[in-house]
PDB file of all heavy atoms in Angstrom:
ATOM      1  N   PHE A 141      86.733 109.895  90.259  1.00 98.00           N
ATOM      2  CA  PHE A 141      87.005 108.518  89.720  1.00 98.00           C
ATOM      3  C   PHE A 141      86.079 107.501  90.420  1.00 98.00           C
ATOM      4  O   PHE A 141      85.664 107.661  91.568  1.00 98.00           O
ATOM      5  CB  PHE A 141      88.477 108.139  89.963  1.00 98.00           C
ATOM      6  CG  PHE A 141      89.381 109.065  89.239  1.00 98.00           C
ATOM      7  CD1 PHE A 141      89.899 110.216  89.802  1.00 98.00           C
ATOM      8  CD2 PHE A 141      89.874 108.705  87.964  1.00 98.00           C
ATOM      9  CE1 PHE A 141      90.766 111.012  89.098  1.00 98.00           C
ATOM     10  CE2 PHE A 141      90.694 109.524  87.276  1.00 98.00           C
ATOM     11  CZ  PHE A 141      91.173 110.696  87.836  1.00 98.00           C
ATOM     12  N   ARG A 142      85.723 106.486  89.662  1.00 97.00           N
ATOM     13  CA  ARG A 142      84.900 105.400  90.194  1.00 97.00           C
ATOM     14  C   ARG A 142      85.592 104.021  89.844  1.00 97.00           C
ATOM     15  O   ARG A 142      86.000 103.804  88.705  1.00 97.00           O
ATOM     16  CB  ARG A 142      83.511 105.440  89.605  1.00 97.00           C
ATOM     17  CG  ARG A 142      82.749 106.697  90.052  1.00 97.00           C
ATOM     18  CD  ARG A 142      81.329 106.720  89.545  1.00 97.00           C
ATOM     19  NE  ARG A 142      80.593 107.892  90.040  1.00 97.00           N
ATOM     20  CZ  ARG A 142      79.963 107.953  91.196  1.00 97.00           C
ATOM     21  NH1 ARG A 142      79.928 106.858  91.979  1.00 97.00           N
ATOM     22  NH2 ARG A 142      79.378 109.052  91.583  1.00 97.00           N
ATOM     23  N   TYR A 143      85.605 103.235  90.882  1.00 97.00           N
ATOM     24  CA  TYR A 143      86.244 101.904  90.764  1.00 97.00           C
ATOM     25  C   TYR A 143      85.199 100.887  91.289  1.00 97.00           C
ATOM     26  O   TYR A 143      84.906 100.866  92.451  1.00 97.00           O
ATOM     27  CB  TYR A 143      87.495 101.870  91.552  1.00 97.00           C
ATOM     28  CG  TYR A 143      88.444 100.700  91.252  1.00 97.00           C
ATOM     29  CD1 TYR A 143      89.609 100.902  90.497  1.00 97.00           C
ATOM     30  CD2 TYR A 143      88.183  99.433  91.728  1.00 97.00           C
ATOM     31  CE1 TYR A 143      90.456  99.866  90.223  1.00 97.00           C
ATOM     32  CE2 TYR A 143      89.053  98.389  91.446  1.00 97.00           C
ATOM     33  CZ  TYR A 143      90.168  98.584  90.719  1.00 97.00           C
ATOM     34  OH  TYR A 143      91.019  97.593  90.446  1.00 97.00           O
ATOM     35  N   LYS A 144      84.705 100.032  90.329  1.00 96.00           N
ATOM     36  CA  LYS A 144      83.642  99.075  90.772  1.00 96.00           C
ATOM     37  C   LYS A 144      84.337  97.997  91.606  1.00 96.00           C
ATOM     38  O   LYS A 144      85.295  97.329  91.207  1.00 96.00           O
ATOM     39  CB  LYS A 144      83.038  98.467  89.512  1.00 96.00           C
ATOM     40  CG  LYS A 144      82.057  97.281  89.822  1.00 96.00           C
ATOM     41  CD  LYS A 144      80.854  97.736  90.652  1.00 96.00           C
ATOM     42  CE  LYS A 144      79.976  98.729  89.932  1.00 96.00           C
ATOM     43  NZ  LYS A 144      78.790  99.137  90.773  1.00 96.00           N
ATOM     44  N   ALA A 145      83.869  97.833  92.835  1.00 93.00           N
ATOM     45  CA  ALA A 145      84.438  96.854  93.803  1.00 93.00           C
ATOM     46  C   ALA A 145      83.424  95.751  94.020  1.00 93.00           C
ATOM     47  O   ALA A 145      82.556  95.884  94.848  1.00 93.00           O
ATOM     48  CB  ALA A 145      84.796  97.566  95.067  1.00 93.00           C
ATOM     49  N   THR A 146      83.564  94.661  93.249  1.00 89.00           N
ATOM     50  CA  THR A 146      82.680  93.557  93.543  1.00 89.00           C
ATOM     51  C   THR A 146      82.990  92.861  94.780  1.00 89.00           C
ATOM     52  O   THR A 146      82.176  92.031  95.276  1.00 89.00           O
ATOM     53  CB  THR A 146      82.720  92.557  92.317  1.00 89.00           C
ATOM     54  OG1 THR A 146      84.076  92.135  92.108  1.00 89.00           O
ATOM     55  CG2 THR A 146      82.169  93.228  91.053  1.00 89.00           C
ATOM     56  N   ALA A 147      84.165  93.089  95.371  1.00 85.00           N
ATOM     57  CA  ALA A 147      84.553  92.573  96.679  1.00 85.00           C
ATOM     58  C   ALA A 147      85.455  93.649  97.345  1.00 85.00           C
ATOM     59  O   ALA A 147      86.632  93.672  97.084  1.00 85.00           O
ATOM     60  CB  ALA A 147      85.260  91.262  96.587  1.00 85.00           C
ATOM     61  N   PRO A 148      84.898  94.566  98.073  1.00 83.00           N
ATOM     62  CA  PRO A 148      85.651  95.650  98.620  1.00 83.00           C
ATOM     63  C   PRO A 148      86.697  95.221  99.708  1.00 83.00           C
ATOM     64  O   PRO A 148      86.377  94.241 100.430  1.00 83.00           O
ATOM     65  CB  PRO A 148      84.594  96.594  99.271  1.00 83.00           C
ATOM     66  CG  PRO A 148      83.286  96.074  98.705  1.00 83.00           C
ATOM     67  CD  PRO A 148      83.434  94.684  98.419  1.00 83.00           C
ATOM     68  N   HIS A 149      87.751  95.966  99.870  1.00 85.00           N
ATOM     69  CA  HIS A 149      88.754  95.731 100.892  1.00 85.00           C
ATOM     70  C   HIS A 149      89.424  97.020 101.206  1.00 85.00           C
ATOM     71  O   HIS A 149      89.558  97.928 100.368  1.00 85.00           O
ATOM     72  CB  HIS A 149      89.766  94.710 100.434  1.00 85.00           C
ATOM     73  CG  HIS A 149      89.294  93.298 100.509  1.00 85.00           C
ATOM     74  ND1 HIS A 149      89.266  92.555 101.637  1.00 85.00           N
ATOM     75  CD2 HIS A 149      88.762  92.541  99.532  1.00 85.00           C
ATOM     76  CE1 HIS A 149      88.764  91.340 101.447  1.00 85.00           C
ATOM     77  NE2 HIS A 149      88.452  91.349 100.125  1.00 85.00           N
ATOM     78  N   LYS A 150      89.995  97.096 102.377  1.00 91.00           N
ATOM     79  CA  LYS A 150      90.805  98.217 102.726  1.00 91.00           C
ATOM     80  C   LYS A 150      92.058  98.235 101.867  1.00 91.00           C
ATOM     81  O   LYS A 150      92.595  97.213 101.530  1.00 91.00           O
ATOM     82  CB  LYS A 150      91.228  98.207 104.238  1.00 91.00           C
ATOM     83  CG  LYS A 150      90.015  98.360 105.131  1.00 91.00           C
ATOM     84  CD  LYS A 150      90.473  98.227 106.600  1.00 91.00           C
ATOM     85  CE  LYS A 150      89.285  98.366 107.544  1.00 91.00           C
ATOM     86  NZ  LYS A 150      89.690  98.200 108.976  1.00 91.00           N
ATOM     87  N   GLY A 151      92.508  99.416 101.554  1.00 96.00           N
ATOM     88  CA  GLY A 151      93.760  99.483 100.717  1.00 96.00           C
ATOM     89  C   GLY A 151      93.909 100.894 100.137  1.00 96.00           C
ATOM     90  O   GLY A 151      93.138 101.800 100.436  1.00 96.00           O
ATOM     91  N   SER A 152      94.879 101.000  99.234  1.00 97.00           N
ATOM     92  CA  SER A 152      95.229 102.297  98.648  1.00 97.00           C
ATOM     93  C   SER A 152      95.144 102.199  97.113  1.00 97.00           C
ATOM     94  O   SER A 152      95.426 101.200  96.512  1.00 97.00           O
ATOM     95  CB  SER A 152      96.626 102.772  99.076  1.00 97.00           C
ATOM     96  OG  SER A 152      97.558 101.867  98.593  1.00 97.00           O
ATOM     97  N   PHE A 153      94.780 103.325  96.496  1.00 98.00           N
ATOM     98  CA  PHE A 153      94.788 103.464  95.049  1.00 98.00           C
ATOM     99  C   PHE A 153      95.815 104.487  94.621  1.00 98.00           C
ATOM    100  O   PHE A 153      95.960 105.497  95.223  1.00 98.00           O
ATOM    101  CB  PHE A 153      93.397 103.937  94.594  1.00 98.00           C
ATOM    102  CG  PHE A 153      92.300 102.908  94.694  1.00 98.00           C
ATOM    103  CD1 PHE A 153      91.610 102.781  95.905  1.00 98.00           C
ATOM    104  CD2 PHE A 153      91.950 102.116  93.608  1.00 98.00           C
ATOM    105  CE1 PHE A 153      90.602 101.867  96.027  1.00 98.00           C
ATOM    106  CE2 PHE A 153      90.921 101.182  93.753  1.00 98.00           C
ATOM    107  CZ  PHE A 153      90.272 101.042  94.955  1.00 98.00           C
ATOM    108  N   GLU A 154      96.505 104.150  93.582  1.00 98.00           N
ATOM    109  CA  GLU A 154      97.439 105.065  92.942  1.00 98.00           C
ATOM    110  C   GLU A 154      97.177 105.111  91.458  1.00 98.00           C
ATOM    111  O   GLU A 154      97.024 104.073  90.813  1.00 98.00           O
ATOM    112  CB  GLU A 154      98.939 104.602  93.104  1.00 98.00           C
ATOM    113  CG  GLU A 154      99.409 104.743  94.576  1.00 98.00           C
ATOM    114  CD  GLU A 154     100.891 104.354  94.659  1.00 98.00           C
ATOM    115  OE1 GLU A 154     101.485 103.934  93.682  1.00 98.00           O
ATOM    116  OE2 GLU A 154     101.456 104.596  95.739  1.00 98.00           O
ATOM    117  N   LEU A 155      97.040 106.332  90.905  1.00 98.00           N
ATOM    118  CA  LEU A 155      96.744 106.545  89.509  1.00 98.00           C
ATOM    119  C   LEU A 155      97.918 107.266  88.823  1.00 98.00           C
ATOM    120  O   LEU A 155      98.314 108.290  89.279  1.00 98.00           O
ATOM    121  CB  LEU A 155      95.450 107.316  89.329  1.00 98.00           C
ATOM    122  CG  LEU A 155      94.091 106.559  89.329  1.00 98.00           C
ATOM    123  CD1 LEU A 155      93.919 105.757  90.576  1.00 98.00           C
ATOM    124  CD2 LEU A 155      92.925 107.513  89.125  1.00 98.00           C
ATOM    125  N   TYR A 156      98.330 106.672  87.730  1.00 98.00           N
ATOM    126  CA  TYR A 156      99.404 107.258  86.940  1.00 98.00           C
ATOM    127  C   TYR A 156      98.885 107.612  85.516  1.00 98.00           C
ATOM    128  O   TYR A 156      98.016 106.940  85.008  1.00 98.00           O
ATOM    129  CB  TYR A 156     100.608 106.266  86.822  1.00 98.00           C
ATOM    130  CG  TYR A 156     101.300 105.910  88.074  1.00 98.00           C
ATOM    131  CD1 TYR A 156     100.721 104.931  88.936  1.00 98.00           C
ATOM    132  CD2 TYR A 156     102.412 106.554  88.485  1.00 98.00           C
ATOM    133  CE1 TYR A 156     101.345 104.589  90.120  1.00 98.00           C
ATOM    134  CE2 TYR A 156     103.063 106.204  89.664  1.00 98.00           C
ATOM    135  CZ  TYR A 156     102.509 105.229  90.479  1.00 98.00           C
ATOM    136  OH  TYR A 156     103.149 104.928  91.650  1.00 98.00           O
ATOM    137  N   ILE A 157      99.461 108.588  84.937  1.00 98.00           N
ATOM    138  CA  ILE A 157      99.096 108.938  83.511  1.00 98.00           C
ATOM    139  C   ILE A 157     100.316 108.920  82.645  1.00 98.00           C
ATOM    140  O   ILE A 157     101.445 109.075  83.120  1.00 98.00           O
ATOM    141  CB  ILE A 157      98.387 110.336  83.457  1.00 98.00           C
ATOM    142  CG1 ILE A 157      97.702 110.489  82.110  1.00 98.00           C
ATOM    143  CG2 ILE A 157      99.411 111.413  83.733  1.00 98.00           C
ATOM    144  CD1 ILE A 157      96.738 111.642  82.116  1.00 98.00           C
ATOM    145  N   THR A 158     100.152 108.628  81.352  1.00 98.00           N
ATOM    146  CA  THR A 158     101.285 108.546  80.493  1.00 98.00           C
ATOM    147  C   THR A 158     101.904 109.919  80.210  1.00 98.00           C
ATOM    148  O   THR A 158     101.215 110.954  80.301  1.00 98.00           O
ATOM    149  CB  THR A 158     100.837 107.940  79.157  1.00 98.00           C
ATOM    150  OG1 THR A 158      99.614 108.519  78.722  1.00 98.00           O
ATOM    151  CG2 THR A 158     100.641 106.455  79.291  1.00 98.00           C
ATOM    152  N   LYS A 159     103.157 109.885  79.896  1.00 98.00           N
ATOM    153  CA  LYS A 159     103.930 111.135  79.656  1.00 98.00           C
ATOM    154  C   LYS A 159     103.491 111.709  78.257  1.00 98.00           C
ATOM    155  O   LYS A 159     102.928 111.043  77.437  1.00 98.00           O
ATOM    156  CB  LYS A 159     105.397 110.842  79.656  1.00 98.00           C
ATOM    157  CG  LYS A 159     105.987 110.304  80.903  1.00 98.00           C
ATOM    158  CD  LYS A 159     107.412 109.883  80.728  1.00 98.00           C
ATOM    159  CE  LYS A 159     108.016 109.366  81.986  1.00 98.00           C
ATOM    160  NZ  LYS A 159     109.444 108.965  81.827  1.00 98.00           N
ATOM    161  N   ASP A 160     103.807 113.005  78.130  1.00 97.00           N
ATOM    162  CA  ASP A 160     103.651 113.664  76.827  1.00 97.00           C
ATOM    163  C   ASP A 160     104.439 112.886  75.819  1.00 97.00           C
ATOM    164  O   ASP A 160     105.589 112.482  76.050  1.00 97.00           O
ATOM    165  CB  ASP A 160     104.094 115.072  76.873  1.00 97.00           C
ATOM    166  CG  ASP A 160     103.191 115.941  77.776  1.00 97.00           C
ATOM    167  OD1 ASP A 160     102.076 115.502  78.105  1.00 97.00           O
ATOM    168  OD2 ASP A 160     103.667 117.016  78.241  1.00 97.00           O
ATOM    169  N   GLY A 161     103.899 112.701  74.609  1.00 95.00           N
ATOM    170  CA  GLY A 161     104.550 111.914  73.582  1.00 95.00           C
ATOM    171  C   GLY A 161     104.236 110.441  73.611  1.00 95.00           C
ATOM    172  O   GLY A 161     104.802 109.675  72.806  1.00 95.00           O
ATOM    173  N   TYR A 162     103.348 109.966  74.513  1.00 97.00           N
ATOM    174  CA  TYR A 162     102.961 108.610  74.591  1.00 97.00           C
ATOM    175  C   TYR A 162     102.457 108.126  73.232  1.00 97.00           C
ATOM    176  O   TYR A 162     101.646 108.771  72.574  1.00 97.00           O
ATOM    177  CB  TYR A 162     101.838 108.475  75.622  1.00 97.00           C
ATOM    178  CG  TYR A 162     101.052 107.198  75.604  1.00 97.00           C
ATOM    179  CD1 TYR A 162     101.651 105.944  75.846  1.00 97.00           C
ATOM    180  CD2 TYR A 162      99.699 107.220  75.275  1.00 97.00           C
ATOM    181  CE1 TYR A 162     100.893 104.782  75.731  1.00 97.00           C
ATOM    182  CE2 TYR A 162      98.935 106.089  75.235  1.00 97.00           C
ATOM    183  CZ  TYR A 162      99.512 104.898  75.500  1.00 97.00           C
ATOM    184  OH  TYR A 162      98.771 103.702  75.387  1.00 97.00           O
ATOM    185  N   ASP A 163     102.933 106.955  72.853  1.00 96.00           N
ATOM    186  CA  ASP A 163     102.527 106.307  71.569  1.00 96.00           C
ATOM    187  C   ASP A 163     101.738 105.031  71.904  1.00 96.00           C
ATOM    188  O   ASP A 163     102.353 104.008  72.253  1.00 96.00           O
ATOM    189  CB  ASP A 163     103.780 105.968  70.741  1.00 96.00           C
ATOM    190  CG  ASP A 163     103.383 105.477  69.333  1.00 96.00           C
ATOM    191  OD1 ASP A 163     102.231 105.182  69.097  1.00 96.00           O
ATOM    192  OD2 ASP A 163     104.364 105.298  68.566  1.00 96.00           O
ATOM    193  N   PRO A 164     100.428 105.039  71.682  1.00 96.00           N
ATOM    194  CA  PRO A 164      99.593 103.889  72.030  1.00 96.00           C
ATOM    195  C   PRO A 164      99.820 102.694  71.084  1.00 96.00           C
ATOM    196  O   PRO A 164      99.392 101.582  71.396  1.00 96.00           O
ATOM    197  CB  PRO A 164      98.168 104.367  71.942  1.00 96.00           C
ATOM    198  CG  PRO A 164      98.238 105.523  70.964  1.00 96.00           C
ATOM    199  CD  PRO A 164      99.593 106.164  71.253  1.00 96.00           C
ATOM    200  N   SER A 165     100.514 102.940  69.996  1.00 95.00           N
ATOM    201  CA  SER A 165     100.771 101.853  69.052  1.00 95.00           C
ATOM    202  C   SER A 165     102.013 100.985  69.416  1.00 95.00           C
ATOM    203  O   SER A 165     102.294 100.043  68.783  1.00 95.00           O
ATOM    204  CB  SER A 165     100.924 102.378  67.620  1.00 95.00           C
ATOM    205  OG  SER A 165     102.146 103.184  67.561  1.00 95.00           O
ATOM    206  N   LYS A 166     102.622 101.363  70.578  1.00 97.00           N
ATOM    207  CA  LYS A 166     103.758 100.611  71.074  1.00 97.00           C
ATOM    208  C   LYS A 166     103.425 100.015  72.433  1.00 97.00           C
ATOM    209  O   LYS A 166     102.569 100.501  73.171  1.00 97.00           O
ATOM    210  CB  LYS A 166     104.950 101.528  71.233  1.00 97.00           C
ATOM    211  CG  LYS A 166     105.479 102.064  69.914  1.00 97.00           C
ATOM    212  CD  LYS A 166     106.723 102.993  70.112  1.00 97.00           C
ATOM    213  CE  LYS A 166     107.184 103.585  68.812  1.00 97.00           C
ATOM    214  NZ  LYS A 166     108.383 104.446  68.969  1.00 97.00           N
ATOM    215  N   PRO A 167     104.032  98.844  72.770  1.00 97.00           N
ATOM    216  CA  PRO A 167     103.741  98.194  74.081  1.00 97.00           C
ATOM    217  C   PRO A 167     103.986  99.188  75.241  1.00 97.00           C
ATOM    218  O   PRO A 167     105.019  99.890  75.220  1.00 97.00           O
ATOM    219  CB  PRO A 167     104.752  97.040  74.116  1.00 97.00           C
ATOM    220  CG  PRO A 167     105.000  96.726  72.687  1.00 97.00           C
ATOM    221  CD  PRO A 167     105.002  98.061  71.981  1.00 97.00           C
ATOM    222  N   LEU A 168     103.048  99.200  76.186  1.00 98.00           N
ATOM    223  CA  LEU A 168     103.174 100.062  77.329  1.00 98.00           C
ATOM    224  C   LEU A 168     104.289  99.689  78.266  1.00 98.00           C
ATOM    225  O   LEU A 168     104.347  98.515  78.715  1.00 98.00           O
ATOM    226  CB  LEU A 168     101.854 100.092  78.103  1.00 98.00           C
ATOM    227  CG  LEU A 168     101.791 101.064  79.315  1.00 98.00           C
ATOM    228  CD1 LEU A 168     101.873 102.555  78.861  1.00 98.00           C
ATOM    229  CD2 LEU A 168     100.516 100.777  80.138  1.00 98.00           C
ATOM    230  N   LYS A 169     105.190 100.580  78.550  1.00 98.00           N
ATOM    231  CA  LYS A 169     106.299 100.367  79.513  1.00 98.00           C
ATOM    232  C   LYS A 169     106.142 101.221  80.711  1.00 98.00           C
ATOM    233  O   LYS A 169     105.451 102.236  80.719  1.00 98.00           O
ATOM    234  CB  LYS A 169     107.643 100.709  78.803  1.00 98.00           C
ATOM    235  CG  LYS A 169     107.925  99.857  77.533  1.00 98.00           C
ATOM    236  CD  LYS A 169     109.242 100.269  76.909  1.00 98.00           C
ATOM    237  CE  LYS A 169     109.290 101.675  76.469  1.00 98.00           C
ATOM    238  NZ  LYS A 169     110.564 102.055  75.771  1.00 98.00           N
ATOM    239  N   TRP A 170     106.811 100.835  81.818  1.00 98.00           N
ATOM    240  CA  TRP A 170     106.777 101.592  83.031  1.00 98.00           C
ATOM    241  C   TRP A 170     107.289 103.029  82.793  1.00 98.00           C
ATOM    242  O   TRP A 170     106.798 103.985  83.332  1.00 98.00           O
ATOM    243  CB  TRP A 170     107.582 100.970  84.147  1.00 98.00           C
ATOM    244  CG  TRP A 170     106.893  99.751  84.738  1.00 98.00           C
ATOM    245  CD1 TRP A 170     107.268  98.428  84.514  1.00 98.00           C
ATOM    246  CD2 TRP A 170     105.834  99.770  85.639  1.00 98.00           C
ATOM    247  NE1 TRP A 170     106.338  97.610  85.267  1.00 98.00           N
ATOM    248  CE2 TRP A 170     105.508  98.428  85.945  1.00 98.00           C
ATOM    249  CE3 TRP A 170     105.042 100.750  86.237  1.00 98.00           C
ATOM    250  CZ2 TRP A 170     104.489  98.034  86.836  1.00 98.00           C
ATOM    251  CZ3 TRP A 170     103.991 100.416  87.094  1.00 98.00           C
ATOM    252  CH2 TRP A 170     103.740  99.074  87.355  1.00 98.00           C
ATOM    253  N   SER A 171     108.266 103.140  81.916  1.00 98.00           N
ATOM    254  CA  SER A 171     108.903 104.455  81.596  1.00 98.00           C
ATOM    255  C   SER A 171     107.896 105.382  80.805  1.00 98.00           C
ATOM    256  O   SER A 171     108.199 106.557  80.705  1.00 98.00           O
ATOM    257  CB  SER A 171     110.171 104.256  80.858  1.00 98.00           C
ATOM    258  OG  SER A 171     109.942 103.620  79.617  1.00 98.00           O
ATOM    259  N   ASP A 172     106.867 104.816  80.282  1.00 98.00           N
ATOM    260  CA  ASP A 172     105.854 105.607  79.560  1.00 98.00           C
ATOM    261  C   ASP A 172     104.968 106.350  80.553  1.00 98.00           C
ATOM    262  O   ASP A 172     104.255 107.323  80.177  1.00 98.00           O
ATOM    263  CB  ASP A 172     104.967 104.708  78.714  1.00 98.00           C
ATOM    264  CG  ASP A 172     105.672 104.151  77.509  1.00 98.00           C
ATOM    265  OD1 ASP A 172     106.609 104.811  76.994  1.00 98.00           O
ATOM    266  OD2 ASP A 172     105.366 103.015  77.105  1.00 98.00           O
ATOM    267  N   LEU A 173     104.950 105.961  81.802  1.00 98.00           N
ATOM    268  CA  LEU A 173     104.134 106.621  82.850  1.00 98.00           C
ATOM    269  C   LEU A 173     104.910 107.722  83.537  1.00 98.00           C
ATOM    270  O   LEU A 173     106.126 107.609  83.712  1.00 98.00           O
ATOM    271  CB  LEU A 173     103.666 105.574  83.877  1.00 98.00           C
ATOM    272  CG  LEU A 173     102.894 104.414  83.334  1.00 98.00           C
ATOM    273  CD1 LEU A 173     102.572 103.419  84.517  1.00 98.00           C
ATOM    274  CD2 LEU A 173     101.597 104.758  82.673  1.00 98.00           C
ATOM    275  N   GLU A 174     104.174 108.758  83.987  1.00 98.00           N
ATOM    276  CA  GLU A 174     104.816 109.737  84.799  1.00 98.00           C
ATOM    277  C   GLU A 174     105.346 109.087  86.056  1.00 98.00           C
ATOM    278  O   GLU A 174     104.761 108.083  86.562  1.00 98.00           O
ATOM    279  CB  GLU A 174     103.806 110.817  85.167  1.00 98.00           C
ATOM    280  CG  GLU A 174     103.226 111.614  84.028  1.00 98.00           C
ATOM    281  CD  GLU A 174     104.189 112.631  83.430  1.00 98.00           C
ATOM    282  OE1 GLU A 174     105.343 112.674  83.899  1.00 98.00           O
ATOM    283  OE2 GLU A 174     103.803 113.347  82.486  1.00 98.00           O
ATOM    284  N   SER A 175     106.425 109.552  86.595  1.00 95.00           N
ATOM    285  CA  SER A 175     107.170 108.899  87.672  1.00 95.00           C
ATOM    286  C   SER A 175     106.332 108.866  88.989  1.00 95.00           C
ATOM    287  O   SER A 175     106.497 107.978  89.809  1.00 95.00           O
ATOM    288  CB  SER A 175     108.483 109.543  87.991  1.00 95.00           C
ATOM    289  OG  SER A 175     108.335 110.925  88.291  1.00 95.00           O
ATOM    290  N   LYS A 176     105.423 109.788  89.193  1.00 97.00           N
ATOM    291  CA  LYS A 176     104.661 109.895  90.391  1.00 97.00           C
ATOM    292  C   LYS A 176     103.182 109.836  90.090  1.00 97.00           C
ATOM    293  O   LYS A 176     102.736 110.318  89.062  1.00 97.00           O
ATOM    294  CB  LYS A 176     104.964 111.148  91.203  1.00 97.00           C
ATOM    295  CG  LYS A 176     106.400 111.198  91.726  1.00 97.00           C
ATOM    296  CD  LYS A 176     106.620 112.470  92.526  1.00 97.00           C
ATOM    297  CE  LYS A 176     108.039 112.534  93.049  1.00 97.00           C
ATOM    298  NZ  LYS A 176     108.293 113.786  93.842  1.00 97.00           N
ATOM    299  N   PRO A 177     102.368 109.210  90.981  1.00 98.00           N
ATOM    300  CA  PRO A 177     100.951 109.212  90.735  1.00 98.00           C
ATOM    301  C   PRO A 177     100.336 110.594  90.857  1.00 98.00           C
ATOM    302  O   PRO A 177     100.742 111.409  91.684  1.00 98.00           O
ATOM    303  CB  PRO A 177     100.405 108.268  91.878  1.00 98.00           C
ATOM    304  CG  PRO A 177     101.417 108.366  92.938  1.00 98.00           C
ATOM    305  CD  PRO A 177     102.720 108.562  92.249  1.00 98.00           C
ATOM    306  N   PHE A 178      99.382 110.926  89.976  1.00 98.00           N
ATOM    307  CA  PHE A 178      98.724 112.199  90.056  1.00 98.00           C
ATOM    308  C   PHE A 178      97.529 112.113  91.041  1.00 98.00           C
ATOM    309  O   PHE A 178      97.029 113.190  91.464  1.00 98.00           O
ATOM    310  CB  PHE A 178      98.213 112.682  88.673  1.00 98.00           C
ATOM    311  CG  PHE A 178      97.091 111.839  88.065  1.00 98.00           C
ATOM    312  CD1 PHE A 178      95.762 112.102  88.417  1.00 98.00           C
ATOM    313  CD2 PHE A 178      97.339 110.764  87.246  1.00 98.00           C
ATOM    314  CE1 PHE A 178      94.745 111.384  87.865  1.00 98.00           C
ATOM    315  CE2 PHE A 178      96.351 110.018  86.700  1.00 98.00           C
ATOM    316  CZ  PHE A 178      95.005 110.297  87.029  1.00 98.00           C
ATOM    317  N   ALA A 179      97.160 110.972  91.469  1.00 97.00           N
ATOM    318  CA  ALA A 179      96.122 110.789  92.421  1.00 97.00           C
ATOM    319  C   ALA A 179      96.435 109.596  93.346  1.00 97.00           C
ATOM    320  O   ALA A 179      96.915 108.582  92.793  1.00 97.00           O
ATOM    321  CB  ALA A 179      94.711 110.630  91.795  1.00 97.00           C
ATOM    322  N   LYS A 180      96.268 109.728  94.601  1.00 97.00           N
ATOM    323  CA  LYS A 180      96.580 108.663  95.568  1.00 97.00           C
ATOM    324  C   LYS A 180      95.605 108.823  96.712  1.00 97.00           C
ATOM    325  O   LYS A 180      95.442 109.873  97.278  1.00 97.00           O
ATOM    326  CB  LYS A 180      98.016 108.763  96.074  1.00 97.00           C
ATOM    327  CG  LYS A 180      98.410 107.597  96.915  1.00 97.00           C
ATOM    328  CD  LYS A 180      99.904 107.666  97.225  1.00 97.00           C
ATOM    329  CE  LYS A 180     100.383 106.444  98.064  1.00 97.00           C
ATOM    330  NZ  LYS A 180     101.819 106.512  98.345  1.00 97.00           N
TER     331      LYS A 180
END
Side-chain angles (χ1 to χ4, degrees):
F141 296 88
R142 293 182 179 275
Y143 196 104
K144 176 61 66 179
T146 55
H149 283 277
K150 294 178 181 179
S152 63
F153 289 85
E154 291 185 352
L155 272 59
Y156 296 82
I157 195 166
T158 45
K159 297 175 180 178
D160 294 341
Y162 162 66
D163 185 352
S165 66
K166 295 180 180 179
L168 181 68
K169 300 181 295 184
W170 286 106
S171 60
D172 291 326
L173 304 176
E174 299 285 3
S175 59
K176 295 182 180 180
F178 68 86
K180 186 174 182 178

